[in-house]
Structure formats: structure tokens, C-alpha cells
Amino acid sequence: MEEVSPNAPGLECARDWLTRATSLAVLTGAGISAESGVPTFRGAGGLWRDHKPEDLATPEAFARNPLLVWEWYNWRRERLAQAQPNAAHHALVKLEIRVARFTLITQNVDGLDDRAGSGKILKLHGDIWRLRCTACGANWPDRRVPLPKLPPHCGCGGLARPGVVWFGEPLPEGMMKEAEHAVSSAEVVLVIGTSAVVYPAAGLIPYAKHAGAKVIEINTEDTPYSGMVDCALRGAAGAVLPRLL
Ligand code: BJW
Ligand code: ZN
């Protein structure tokens, strides 16, 4: 494991692997959007600091108080509407164009990868810009900010919920299998801005390593998997990632 500042030799090594790679999978978390002004979940200034996850990001919380949960999501949508993709999101689009077999796997629901121009994205935890009916199961995009009425409802009269994955809920059908296939068939796997504590997403890191991929982590801090990866680059994604291209 190499742990380096953005100027150290590990950066050269990671750049070399990326330059040669014909298959690349990227796993991102909230840290990639931090430089766009989007709060992360954990750590200083994180979204969980003022709210307990079990109060807001569980199906039980929504059943208890849909208005409270919707107020939180509406507030986040308002913040996101002001945010712009940053240099790291743009660098991923360049990599997608350059590398023959490329898969972007994100835990983020913020839509900044779409806005940067990324193509196919495996959104493991859903999309804050989609709504889903709790009665009939319909799901649809809705980018209105603020939403005109909270909580929103479906045309069928049922209560709508954010199109995201809460604790205790399964990920979208088949998506983990696709993600596992992508990381196990990639020569290089980039892991960017995730604390790697939420499963099953975090499990993709050891999965990639055991399948033989070179794993590069970009994060401002250590994670539980920093000791296992081939190269741990310490720094902000928007500063480090463009330097790997
Ligand atoms: C920077 C930076 C910069 C900052 N540059 N870096 C025990 C063991 C294993 C699993 C479990 C367990 N107990 C319970 C579980 C399961 C549970 C889980 O993992 N819990 C753990 C917390 C213990 N998982 C689930 O429930 C999942 N579902 C599931 O398991 O289903 C099973 C099932 C099967 C069949 C039927 C039914 C069920 C679902 C998980 C859903 C997670 N949802 C959330 C909310 C999404 C909606 C929303 O946004 O509101 O997803 S929680 C939240 O955490 C969000 C994120 O995607 C996710 C991961 O967070 P992320 O992205 O890593 O962000 P942070 O803030 O944690 O980290 C940011 C990082 O960036 C830090 O490292 C910084 O250092 C770094 N950083 N600036 C680079 N500029
Ligand atoms: Zn409905």
C-alpha cells in the first residue's frame, strides 16, 4: 500500500495504471461532491451531525413522519439545485470517453454525475430527483425546487417518497450484480470519496481486490480499506483526480 500526497510518486504509479487500463470501474461516495458544496454524511459538517440517520433515512422514519422526512429531502434538493459538478465529476467523464470498458458506480443520489455528462451510471442508492409512489409503485423524475406541496402525492392519490435507498432496504434489483461484475472484470478500480462503512457498496472494495484489480483510493482521510488498497492517495478528489489523467 502506498500512501501519498498528490505530489508523491504514488500519483505517478496510479496514473500509469490508469493510462494502460482498458477496463476501469469507479466507485464514488459523498466526498466526490464535497467540493461542489454538497455536505457529506459523516464527519465534520456531515448531514448526520444534526440528524440521526434512523430519524430520517429509514422506511420506519418515513412511515412515522413523512412530512419531516420530506422537509429534509426538499432542503437537500434546494441545496443541490445550486451546486455545480466539480473537476472530479468532469474528470470521470473524460475517463469514460478514454477507457473502452468503463463503469461508474455511485452511492450518491445527487445527480451531479448526470449533469457533468456521465453516461450509464449504476446508482446504488437511487436518485433524489426521482419520486416513487408508496401505493402503486410508479416512479418518475421530478426536478422541481421547491416541491410545490409537501408531502408530494402520485396521480393515483398515494403518498410519494424520495426515489432513494434507505437503511434496511434492498438496492435496486440486479444492480449489485452489475456492480460486482464491473469491479471483478476491471483491471483498475478507483474508489473516490467514500467512508466505506455502508454495505453492500463498501464490499465492492475487497471484492475488486480479491478479483485481482489494482485498487486506487482517493480520499481526504483514511478508511477501513486504506490498508488493503494498492494505492491510497490522500487529498481532495477535485485536486487529485484530474492529475491522474
Ligand atoms: C472526501 C472529500 C473530498 C470528504 N475528496 N474525499 C452491519 C454490517 C454490514 C451491513 C450492515 C450492518 N448493519 C446494517 C447493515 C446494513 C446497512 C449498513 O451498511 N449499515 C452500516 C452503516 C452498518 N445497509 C443497508 O441497510 C443497505 N441495504 C441492505 O443492506 O439491504 C439488505 C436487504 C436485502 C433484502 C431485503 C431487504 C434488505 C442500504 C444502505 C442505504 C444507504 N443509504 C444512504 C442514504 C441514501 C439516501 C440519501 O442520500 O438520503 O446512502 S446512507 C448514506 O451513506 C448514503 C450514502 O450513499 C452512504 C455512504 O456514505 P458515503 O458516500 O461513503 O459518505 P460519507 O459521508 O460516509 O463519507 C464521505 C467520505 O468522503 C469520507 O471518507 C471523507 O473523508 C471523504 N471526503 N471530502 C475526497 N473533497
Ligand atoms: Zn401511485
Side-chain angles (χ1 to χ4, degrees):
M1 200 263 301
E2 295 158 69
E3 191 161 319
V4 294
S5 77
N7 293 315
L11 196 75
E12 295 302 324
C13 195
R15 190 189 289 131
D16 188 48
W17 294 336
L18 273 180
T19 305
R20 291 164 194 266
T22 59
S23 53
L24 171 65
V26 183
L27 172 67
T28 63
I32 196 172
S33 298
E35 290 152 90
S36 296
V38 180
T40 59
F41 290 91
R42 298 163 187 86
L47 283 167
W48 292 155
R49 253 166 47 97
D50 302 326
H51 309 275
K52 280 192 270 170
E54 58 272 23
D55 287 344
L56 294 167
T58 63
E60 294 77 20
F62 188 68
R64 209 164 40 233
N65 194 341
L67 181 60
L68 174 72
V69 171
W70 262 118
E71 281 169 350
W72 188 55
Y73 279 93
N74 195 47
W75 168 77
R76 286 174 57 196
R77 285 165 59 109
E78 286 178 10
R79 284 196 68 150
L80 284 171
Q82 313 290 325
Q84 299 300 325
N86 66 51
H89 298 105
H90 293 301
L92 291 184
V93 177
K94 287 193 183 139
L95 280 170
E96 179 172 1
I97 293 166
R98 192 171 90 184
V99 181
R101 283 177 295 137
F102 176 95
T103 308
L104 175 55
I105 306 160
T106 189
Q107 298 169 83
N108 297 344
V109 301
D110 58 29
L112 290 176
D113 294 300
D114 304 275
R115 284 173 49 200
S118 282
K120 191 180 168 215
I121 307 163
L122 298 179
K123 296 181 182 177
L124 296 182
H125 296 160
D127 188 334
I128 202 169
W129 300 109
R130 295 189 73 85
L131 273 56
R132 189 162 83 242
C133 178
T134 57
C136 74
N139 78 87
W140 63 94
D142 187 334
R143 295 198 69 92
R144 289 175 297 171
V145 167
L147 283 161
K149 187 173 176 296
L150 293 183
H153 283 77
C154 173
C156 82
L159 175 65
R161 57 162 284 175
V164 301
V165 180
W166 286 323
F167 285 116
E169 293 186 319
L171 273 51
E173 177 132 28
M175 207 174 271
M176 261 316 279
K177 278 270 158 287
E178 255 192 271
E180 284 167 357
H181 174 73
V183 300
S184 61
S185 57
E187 291 155 10
V188 178
V189 173
L190 266 173
V191 179
I192 307 172
T194 177
S195 58
V197 296
V198 174
Y199 287 80
L204 291 168
I205 302 165
Y207 198 86
K209 190 69 197 130
H210 292 138
K214 290 276 187 211
V215 180
I216 303 166
E217 176 184 72
I218 301 176
N219 199 306
T220 46
E221 291 174 27
D222 269 350
T223 75
Y225 288 110
S226 299
M228 172 196 257
V229 301
D230 297 283
C231 180
L233 299 171
R234 287 288 149 267
V240 177
L241 188 56
R243 300 188 60 186
L244 295 182
L245 266 60

